[in-house]
PDB file of all heavy atoms in Angstrom:
ATOM      1  N   MET A   1      21.904   8.845  11.847  1.00  0.00           N
ATOM      2  CA  MET A   1      22.784   8.346  10.775  1.00  0.00           C
ATOM      3  C   MET A   1      23.402   9.519  10.023  1.00  0.00           C
ATOM      4  O   MET A   1      22.875  10.629  10.023  1.00  0.00           O
ATOM      5  CB  MET A   1      21.972   7.490   9.821  1.00  0.00           C
ATOM      6  CG  MET A   1      21.311   6.300  10.502  1.00  0.00           C
ATOM      7  SD  MET A   1      20.048   5.506   9.504  1.00  0.00           S
ATOM      8  CE  MET A   1      18.687   6.611   9.717  1.00  0.00           C
ATOM      9  N   PRO A   2      24.522   9.291   9.343  1.00  0.00           N
ATOM     10  CA  PRO A   2      25.174  10.385   8.633  1.00  0.00           C
ATOM     11  C   PRO A   2      24.392  10.894   7.429  1.00  0.00           C
ATOM     12  O   PRO A   2      24.553  12.030   7.026  1.00  0.00           O
ATOM     13  CB  PRO A   2      26.523   9.813   8.205  1.00  0.00           C
ATOM     14  CG  PRO A   2      26.403   8.350   8.337  1.00  0.00           C
ATOM     15  CD  PRO A   2      25.296   8.052   9.291  1.00  0.00           C
ATOM     16  N   TYR A   3      23.517  10.072   6.862  1.00  0.00           N
ATOM     17  CA  TYR A   3      22.726  10.506   5.713  1.00  0.00           C
ATOM     18  C   TYR A   3      21.529   9.593   5.557  1.00  0.00           C
ATOM     19  O   TYR A   3      21.485   8.491   6.092  1.00  0.00           O
ATOM     20  CB  TYR A   3      23.544  10.568   4.416  1.00  0.00           C
ATOM     21  CG  TYR A   3      24.433   9.372   4.220  1.00  0.00           C
ATOM     22  CD1 TYR A   3      23.965   8.204   3.623  1.00  0.00           C
ATOM     23  CD2 TYR A   3      25.772   9.387   4.679  1.00  0.00           C
ATOM     24  CE1 TYR A   3      24.799   7.117   3.481  1.00  0.00           C
ATOM     25  CE2 TYR A   3      26.582   8.277   4.536  1.00  0.00           C
ATOM     26  CZ  TYR A   3      26.083   7.153   3.947  1.00  0.00           C
ATOM     27  OH  TYR A   3      26.911   6.046   3.804  1.00  0.00           O
ATOM     28  N   ALA A   4      20.537  10.034   4.804  1.00  0.00           N
ATOM     29  CA  ALA A   4      19.352   9.258   4.535  1.00  0.00           C
ATOM     30  C   ALA A   4      19.503   8.588   3.190  1.00  0.00           C
ATOM     31  O   ALA A   4      19.690   9.240   2.173  1.00  0.00           O
ATOM     32  CB  ALA A   4      18.117  10.149   4.524  1.00  0.00           C
ATOM     33  N   GLU A   5      19.449   7.270   3.206  1.00  0.00           N
ATOM     34  CA  GLU A   5      19.500   6.508   1.990  1.00  0.00           C
ATOM     35  C   GLU A   5      18.928   5.127   2.250  1.00  0.00           C
ATOM     36  O   GLU A   5      18.492   4.841   3.363  1.00  0.00           O
ATOM     37  CB  GLU A   5      20.917   6.465   1.383  1.00  0.00           C
ATOM     38  CG  GLU A   5      22.023   6.191   2.382  1.00  0.00           C
ATOM     39  CD  GLU A   5      22.266   4.724   2.587  1.00  0.00           C
ATOM     40  OE1 GLU A   5      22.349   3.978   1.594  1.00  0.00           O
ATOM     41  OE2 GLU A   5      22.359   4.301   3.728  1.00  0.00           O
ATOM     42  N   THR A   6      18.898   4.270   1.224  1.00  0.00           N
ATOM     43  CA  THR A   6      18.197   2.991   1.288  1.00  0.00           C
ATOM     44  C   THR A   6      18.678   2.099   2.458  1.00  0.00           C
ATOM     45  O   THR A   6      17.877   1.576   3.222  1.00  0.00           O
ATOM     46  CB  THR A   6      18.320   2.248  -0.057  1.00  0.00           C
ATOM     47  OG1 THR A   6      17.791   3.047  -1.081  1.00  0.00           O
ATOM     48  CG2 THR A   6      17.557   0.930  -0.004  1.00  0.00           C
ATOM     49  N   SER A   7      19.978   1.886   2.604  1.00  0.00           N
ATOM     50  CA  SER A   7      20.416   0.998   3.653  1.00  0.00           C
ATOM     51  C   SER A   7      20.122   1.551   5.032  1.00  0.00           C
ATOM     52  O   SER A   7      19.818   0.800   5.953  1.00  0.00           O
ATOM     53  CB  SER A   7      21.925   0.689   3.496  1.00  0.00           C
ATOM     54  OG  SER A   7      22.688   1.853   3.650  1.00  0.00           O
ATOM     55  N   ALA A   8      20.156   2.878   5.165  1.00  0.00           N
ATOM     56  CA  ALA A   8      19.787   3.493   6.447  1.00  0.00           C
ATOM     57  C   ALA A   8      18.308   3.252   6.752  1.00  0.00           C
ATOM     58  O   ALA A   8      17.911   2.952   7.894  1.00  0.00           O
ATOM     59  CB  ALA A   8      20.117   4.987   6.441  1.00  0.00           C
ATOM     60  N   MET A   9      17.459   3.353   5.728  1.00  0.00           N
ATOM     61  CA  MET A   9      16.034   3.145   5.924  1.00  0.00           C
ATOM     62  C   MET A   9      15.763   1.669   6.277  1.00  0.00           C
ATOM     63  O   MET A   9      14.900   1.375   7.092  1.00  0.00           O
ATOM     64  CB  MET A   9      15.250   3.522   4.672  1.00  0.00           C
ATOM     65  CG  MET A   9      13.751   3.493   4.849  1.00  0.00           C
ATOM     66  SD  MET A   9      13.209   4.617   6.151  1.00  0.00           S
ATOM     67  CE  MET A   9      11.627   3.915   6.534  1.00  0.00           C
ATOM     68  N   GLN A  10      16.531   0.743   5.720  1.00  0.00           N
ATOM     69  CA  GLN A  10      16.360  -0.671   6.063  1.00  0.00           C
ATOM     70  C   GLN A  10      16.670  -0.868   7.538  1.00  0.00           C
ATOM     71  O   GLN A  10      15.942  -1.567   8.271  1.00  0.00           O
ATOM     72  CB  GLN A  10      17.224  -1.576   5.189  1.00  0.00           C
ATOM     73  CG  GLN A  10      16.960  -3.050   5.453  1.00  0.00           C
ATOM     74  CD  GLN A  10      15.540  -3.459   5.072  1.00  0.00           C
ATOM     75  OE1 GLN A  10      15.088  -3.186   3.985  1.00  0.00           O
ATOM     76  NE2 GLN A  10      14.855  -4.105   5.994  1.00  0.00           N
ATOM     77  N   LEU A  11      17.749  -0.253   8.013  1.00  0.00           N
ATOM     78  CA  LEU A  11      18.072  -0.356   9.441  1.00  0.00           C
ATOM     79  C   LEU A  11      16.991   0.225  10.309  1.00  0.00           C
ATOM     80  O   LEU A  11      16.648  -0.308  11.374  1.00  0.00           O
ATOM     81  CB  LEU A  11      19.403   0.362   9.710  1.00  0.00           C
ATOM     82  CG  LEU A  11      20.650  -0.263   9.158  1.00  0.00           C
ATOM     83  CD1 LEU A  11      21.866   0.640   9.364  1.00  0.00           C
ATOM     84  CD2 LEU A  11      20.904  -1.644   9.798  1.00  0.00           C
ATOM     85  N   HIS A  12      16.399   1.322   9.844  1.00  0.00           N
ATOM     86  CA  HIS A  12      15.338   1.973  10.619  1.00  0.00           C
ATOM     87  C   HIS A  12      14.093   1.053  10.689  1.00  0.00           C
ATOM     88  O   HIS A  12      13.498   0.891  11.748  1.00  0.00           O
ATOM     89  CB  HIS A  12      14.966   3.323   9.994  1.00  0.00           C
ATOM     90  CG  HIS A  12      14.009   4.106  10.811  1.00  0.00           C
ATOM     91  ND1 HIS A  12      12.887   4.689  10.288  1.00  0.00           N
ATOM     92  CD2 HIS A  12      13.979   4.380  12.144  1.00  0.00           C
ATOM     93  CE1 HIS A  12      12.224   5.302  11.236  1.00  0.00           C
ATOM     94  NE2 HIS A  12      12.845   5.126  12.367  1.00  0.00           N
ATOM     95  N   ARG A  13      13.722   0.456   9.568  1.00  0.00           N
ATOM     96  CA  ARG A  13      12.550  -0.456   9.565  1.00  0.00           C
ATOM     97  C   ARG A  13      12.799  -1.612  10.544  1.00  0.00           C
ATOM     98  O   ARG A  13      11.921  -2.026  11.286  1.00  0.00           O
ATOM     99  CB  ARG A  13      12.294  -1.013   8.178  1.00  0.00           C
ATOM    100  CG  ARG A  13      11.670  -0.006   7.254  1.00  0.00           C
ATOM    101  CD  ARG A  13      11.398  -0.635   5.899  1.00  0.00           C
ATOM    102  NE  ARG A  13      10.801   0.346   5.010  1.00  0.00           N
ATOM    103  CZ  ARG A  13      10.366   0.057   3.811  1.00  0.00           C
ATOM    104  NH1 ARG A  13      10.460  -1.163   3.355  1.00  0.00           N
ATOM    105  NH2 ARG A  13       9.842   0.988   3.052  1.00  0.00           N
ATOM    106  N   GLU A  14      14.012  -2.133  10.502  1.00  0.00           N
ATOM    107  CA  GLU A  14      14.344  -3.258  11.415  1.00  0.00           C
ATOM    108  C   GLU A  14      14.275  -2.840  12.892  1.00  0.00           C
ATOM    109  O   GLU A  14      13.833  -3.582  13.737  1.00  0.00           O
ATOM    110  CB  GLU A  14      15.704  -3.829  11.047  1.00  0.00           C
ATOM    111  CG  GLU A  14      15.713  -4.536   9.707  1.00  0.00           C
ATOM    112  CD  GLU A  14      17.078  -4.816   9.146  1.00  0.00           C
ATOM    113  OE1 GLU A  14      18.104  -4.582   9.829  1.00  0.00           O
ATOM    114  OE2 GLU A  14      17.146  -5.277   7.976  1.00  0.00           O
ATOM    115  N   GLU A  15      14.735  -1.610  13.171  1.00  0.00           N
ATOM    116  CA  GLU A  15      14.671  -1.088  14.551  1.00  0.00           C
ATOM    117  C   GLU A  15      13.212  -0.897  14.976  1.00  0.00           C
ATOM    118  O   GLU A  15      12.859  -1.254  16.108  1.00  0.00           O
ATOM    119  CB  GLU A  15      15.443   0.247  14.634  1.00  0.00           C
ATOM    120  CG  GLU A  15      15.413   0.881  16.004  1.00  0.00           C
ATOM    121  CD  GLU A  15      16.166   0.103  17.090  1.00  0.00           C
ATOM    122  OE1 GLU A  15      16.884  -0.869  16.779  1.00  0.00           O
ATOM    123  OE2 GLU A  15      15.973   0.454  18.273  1.00  0.00           O
ATOM    124  N   ILE A  16      12.395  -0.370  14.117  1.00  0.00           N
ATOM    125  CA  ILE A  16      10.968  -0.208  14.450  1.00  0.00           C
ATOM    126  C   ILE A  16      10.358  -1.597  14.697  1.00  0.00           C
ATOM    127  O   ILE A  16       9.660  -1.804  15.699  1.00  0.00           O
ATOM    128  CB  ILE A  16      10.199   0.503  13.304  1.00  0.00           C
ATOM    129  CG1 ILE A  16      10.707   1.933  13.178  1.00  0.00           C
ATOM    130  CG2 ILE A  16       8.691   0.465  13.563  1.00  0.00           C
ATOM    131  CD1 ILE A  16      10.252   2.609  11.904  1.00  0.00           C
ATOM    132  N   SER A  17      10.624  -2.517  13.824  1.00  0.00           N
ATOM    133  CA  SER A  17      10.104  -3.881  13.950  1.00  0.00           C
ATOM    134  C   SER A  17      10.481  -4.497  15.276  1.00  0.00           C
ATOM    135  O   SER A  17       9.690  -5.153  15.924  1.00  0.00           O
ATOM    136  CB  SER A  17      10.582  -4.725  12.790  1.00  0.00           C
ATOM    137  OG  SER A  17      10.166  -6.073  12.960  1.00  0.00           O
ATOM    138  N   ARG A  18      11.711  -4.276  15.685  1.00  0.00           N
ATOM    139  CA  ARG A  18      12.221  -4.826  16.940  1.00  0.00           C
ATOM    140  C   ARG A  18      11.471  -4.272  18.169  1.00  0.00           C
ATOM    141  O   ARG A  18      11.310  -4.969  19.145  1.00  0.00           O
ATOM    142  CB  ARG A  18      13.717  -4.487  17.059  1.00  0.00           C
ATOM    143  CG  ARG A  18      14.456  -5.175  18.203  1.00  0.00           C
ATOM    144  CD  ARG A  18      15.897  -4.682  18.304  1.00  0.00           C
ATOM    145  NE  ARG A  18      15.990  -3.290  18.660  1.00  0.00           N
ATOM    146  CZ  ARG A  18      15.727  -2.792  19.864  1.00  0.00           C
ATOM    147  NH1 ARG A  18      15.300  -3.550  20.830  1.00  0.00           N
ATOM    148  NH2 ARG A  18      15.867  -1.488  20.120  1.00  0.00           N
ATOM    149  N   THR A  19      10.960  -3.062  18.062  1.00  0.00           N
ATOM    150  CA  THR A  19      10.259  -2.445  19.206  1.00  0.00           C
ATOM    151  C   THR A  19       8.771  -2.759  19.270  1.00  0.00           C
ATOM    152  O   THR A  19       8.115  -2.440  20.259  1.00  0.00           O
ATOM    153  CB  THR A  19      10.446  -0.908  19.215  1.00  0.00           C
ATOM    154  OG1 THR A  19       9.760  -0.352  18.128  1.00  0.00           O
ATOM    155  CG2 THR A  19      11.903  -0.508  19.203  1.00  0.00           C
ATOM    156  N   VAL A  20       8.232  -3.394  18.213  1.00  0.00           N
ATOM    157  CA  VAL A  20       6.823  -3.768  18.209  1.00  0.00           C
ATOM    158  C   VAL A  20       6.646  -4.980  19.157  1.00  0.00           C
ATOM    159  O   VAL A  20       7.403  -5.933  19.079  1.00  0.00           O
ATOM    160  CB  VAL A  20       6.367  -4.111  16.775  1.00  0.00           C
ATOM    161  CG1 VAL A  20       4.936  -4.643  16.765  1.00  0.00           C
ATOM    162  CG2 VAL A  20       6.479  -2.896  15.874  1.00  0.00           C
ATOM    163  N   ALA A  21       5.638  -4.896  20.019  1.00  0.00           N
ATOM    164  CA  ALA A  21       5.372  -5.980  20.956  1.00  0.00           C
ATOM    165  C   ALA A  21       5.134  -7.290  20.224  1.00  0.00           C
ATOM    166  O   ALA A  21       4.543  -7.310  19.138  1.00  0.00           O
ATOM    167  CB  ALA A  21       4.184  -5.641  21.819  1.00  0.00           C
ATOM    168  N   ARG A  22       5.573  -8.366  20.829  1.00  0.00           N
ATOM    169  CA  ARG A  22       5.379  -9.685  20.235  1.00  0.00           C
ATOM    170  C   ARG A  22       3.896  -9.930  20.009  1.00  0.00           C
ATOM    171  O   ARG A  22       3.065  -9.679  20.853  1.00  0.00           O
ATOM    172  CB  ARG A  22       5.965 -10.736  21.150  1.00  0.00           C
ATOM    173  CG  ARG A  22       5.949 -12.101  20.558  1.00  0.00           C
ATOM    174  CD  ARG A  22       6.532 -13.114  21.477  1.00  0.00           C
ATOM    175  NE  ARG A  22       6.672 -14.356  20.746  1.00  0.00           N
ATOM    176  CZ  ARG A  22       7.737 -15.114  20.807  1.00  0.00           C
ATOM    177  NH1 ARG A  22       8.747 -14.805  21.567  1.00  0.00           N
ATOM    178  NH2 ARG A  22       7.790 -16.221  20.085  1.00  0.00           N
ATOM    179  N   GLY A  23       3.561 -10.391  18.790  1.00  0.00           N
ATOM    180  CA  GLY A  23       2.182 -10.653  18.447  1.00  0.00           C
ATOM    181  C   GLY A  23       1.420  -9.445  17.977  1.00  0.00           C
ATOM    182  O   GLY A  23       0.293  -9.547  17.517  1.00  0.00           O
ATOM    183  N   ALA A  24       2.018  -8.255  18.042  1.00  0.00           N
ATOM    184  CA  ALA A  24       1.371  -7.011  17.599  1.00  0.00           C
ATOM    185  C   ALA A  24       1.808  -6.708  16.172  1.00  0.00           C
ATOM    186  O   ALA A  24       2.707  -7.330  15.615  1.00  0.00           O
ATOM    187  CB  ALA A  24       1.721  -5.874  18.542  1.00  0.00           C
ATOM    188  N   HIS A  25       1.154  -5.722  15.583  1.00  0.00           N
ATOM    189  CA  HIS A  25       1.455  -5.275  14.232  1.00  0.00           C
ATOM    190  C   HIS A  25       1.440  -3.742  14.236  1.00  0.00           C
ATOM    191  O   HIS A  25       0.608  -3.144  14.885  1.00  0.00           O
ATOM    192  CB  HIS A  25       0.398  -5.815  13.268  1.00  0.00           C
ATOM    193  CG  HIS A  25       0.816  -5.721  11.847  1.00  0.00           C
ATOM    194  ND1 HIS A  25       1.552  -6.708  11.239  1.00  0.00           N
ATOM    195  CD2 HIS A  25       0.623  -4.768  10.935  1.00  0.00           C
ATOM    196  CE1 HIS A  25       1.787  -6.367   9.980  1.00  0.00           C
ATOM    197  NE2 HIS A  25       1.213  -5.204   9.774  1.00  0.00           N
TER     198      HIS A  25
END
């Protein structure tokens, strides 16, 4: 991303969440 800020971090959390196996945490 061009810079680190709140909306970028939200996108990152969503990307991490997407890669977590179904049923895992």
Side-chain angles (χ1 to χ4, degrees):
M1 300 167 282
Y3 44 86
E5 45 86 47
T6 302
S7 63
M9 187 61 201
Q10 186 64 51
L11 290 172
H12 187 229
R13 286 181 181 185
E14 291 166 7
E15 179 66 11
I16 294 167
S17 175
R18 189 185 66 73
T19 68
V20 174
R22 187 179 189 136
H25 196 87

